[in-house]
Each structure stands twice: as structure tokens, then as C-alpha cells.
Amino acid sequence: MKKSYKVAHAMLAWLVKFIFRVHVTGLENEPTGGGLLLCSNHVSLIDPICICAVLKKTEPLFMAKKELFKVPILRHIIRAFGAYPVNRGAGDIGAVRKTIELLKEGNCTGIFPQGTRCKGVAFEETKFKTGAALVLIKSGVPALPVRVKIKNNKWRFLRRIDIVIGKPITTEEMAFDPEKPRNEETERITNLLFEKINELGGDAK
């Protein structure tokens, strides 16, 4: 971890967990280093902050839509936790390239394969976009499945948030085959990500 991130984590993580009633299971699955793509379902705006707060060995850098960097207070928090902007509406290729570059340099980056927040929607009813699979293929790193659980998949103040950390999905499990059509392989890896996150348990009731 960078020194600045360690300081921010020490100052803010406990506060985030206390204010948002964040509970975590599966921390024993958290890797200790190396390039890693953290893949999580997306329920609320505060998901990245809560995920960063519970992790102890990893410094996940999340893409965040550029508009969030204009929000008072929030922009300082997400910058402290290493977020970087993406122009979501324009399909920011530069941000995708930045993500792949960070992974190849041995960093951990976070991505939400659903592509957007799925407020009030059961996980099984959502679909994953293929962007995460493409990043994994291009970077050649393992993936870390994470499940965020909130009652009714809607965040409310003082409503408990459970974060489940799964076992890393190795590059051998994903095993990209360059002999097969790229779209078939991205679809297969996308389905694998969905299955691994789904295995972390049902939605909170």
C-alpha cells in the first residue's frame, strides 16, 4: 500500500464501517499483493468506499464516474481511497487502458461488471457486461469476487451492509484460449465471474 493510502485508511476506514454499519466475512481470502481485478456487484453509491474500508492488505483503485469528483466531501474521500475518473457515458477507452496498465504494474483495481448500480433489483435478475472479462484477458491477472449485500438491495441510512470476500479466481481457472473467438471467451469469463459472485450467497432480506 502507498503511504498516503495507509494514512487515509487508518483515519477513515473505522469511521466508514461505523457510520454505514459495514460487516465483512471472508477476509482470509484477501490476497497479499500482485495485480488483481476486484469484481463486485453494485448496489449503492458507497459500495467502493465500504469495500476499501474492510480490506486490510489490498489497495483497490476504483473507476468512478467523473461527476462524483465534483461532489463536495465525497470527492476528497474517493480520491483518498485511490479512485480515478471515467466518462461512463462516452465509453471511456482511456480509463479502460488505464485499468489494464495499473493491473500490469501489479496494482489491484476494482470494477463493477454490472456496469451501473442495480438498486432494488435481485442479483440473479441482473446481467454482467463483458468489460471486466476483456480487462482480465488483456492484463492476465486473477480476479477477486466480492458480494455486497443490503436488505432489498437498497441502501438506507443505518441499514446494515454485508460484504463477502470470495476466493480469488486464478488465471488457470479463466484460461483464455486465443484459438477461440474473442467474443466467446469474454462471454465465458463473464459468466464465470457472475457464477463466482453468486456463490457468495443470496441477497440480504
Side-chain angles (χ1 to χ4, degrees):
M1 287 186 183
K2 296 184 183 68
K3 185 176 180 180
S4 59
Y5 184 88
K6 286 183 178 180
V7 172
H9 195 277
M11 293 176 61
L12 298 172
W14 70 271
L15 186 61
V16 168
K17 288 186 286 186
F18 176 75
I19 291 175
F20 298 116
R21 299 187 65 210
V22 184
H23 298 257
V24 60
T25 55
L27 265 181
E28 68 277 7
N29 296 321
E30 182 184 1
T32 56
L36 181 74
L37 185 67
L38 187 154
C39 298
S40 172
N41 64 312
H42 200 9
V43 179
S44 74
L45 190 64
I46 60 174
D47 292 344
I49 298 172
C50 293
I51 291 171
C52 287
V54 301
L55 295 176
K56 297 181 180 298
K57 308 170 189 173
T58 314
E59 179 186 342
L61 309 174
F62 277 91
M63 279 192 227
K65 60 182 181 180
K66 65 179 184 179
E67 290 81 5
L68 297 181
F69 289 84
K70 300 177 182 178
V71 180
I73 301 177
L74 179 61
R75 64 188 177 194
H76 299 296
I77 295 176
I78 61 177
R79 278 183 181 141
F81 279 118
Y84 56 102
V86 57
N87 186 359
R88 190 175 67 184
D92 194 338
I93 299 301
V96 174
R97 288 175 178 165
K98 176 67 174 178
T99 301
I100 294 170
E101 178 184 328
L102 287 168
L103 290 169
K104 287 184 175 180
E105 291 174 353
N107 295 288
C108 172
T109 67
I111 195 169
F112 298 109
Q114 289 163 322
T116 187
R117 282 174 286 159
C118 296
K119 180 180 177 182
V121 182
F123 177 77
E124 293 81 2
E125 296 176 8
T126 66
K127 292 184 179 181
F128 279 12
K129 298 184 183 299
T130 57
L134 182 59
V135 168
L136 286 165
I137 290 169
K138 291 284 188 179
S139 62
V141 300
L144 183 67
V146 173
R147 182 83 176 257
V148 178
K149 301 181 181 183
I150 305 175
K151 184 179 179 180
N152 298 325
N153 289 304
K154 290 182 180 180
W155 179 75
R156 295 286 185 274
F157 186 61
L158 295 181
R159 181 169 283 180
R160 173 174 169 141
I161 299 172
D162 285 285
I163 296 176
V164 185
I165 312 296
K167 294 182 179 180
I169 308 170
T170 66
T171 53
E172 288 78 17
E173 285 182 87
M174 289 180 280
F176 170 66
D177 187 348
E179 299 298 321
K180 293 183 179 180
R182 175 67 61 85
N183 63 329
E184 288 184 11
E185 286 295 273
T186 54
E187 188 69 26
R188 179 182 61 80
I189 295 173
T190 298
N191 291 337
L192 177 63
L193 290 174
F194 188 93
E195 291 169 6
K196 291 295 184 179
I197 295 175
N198 193 39
E199 288 173 3
L200 298 180
D203 293 334
K205 304 298 183 183

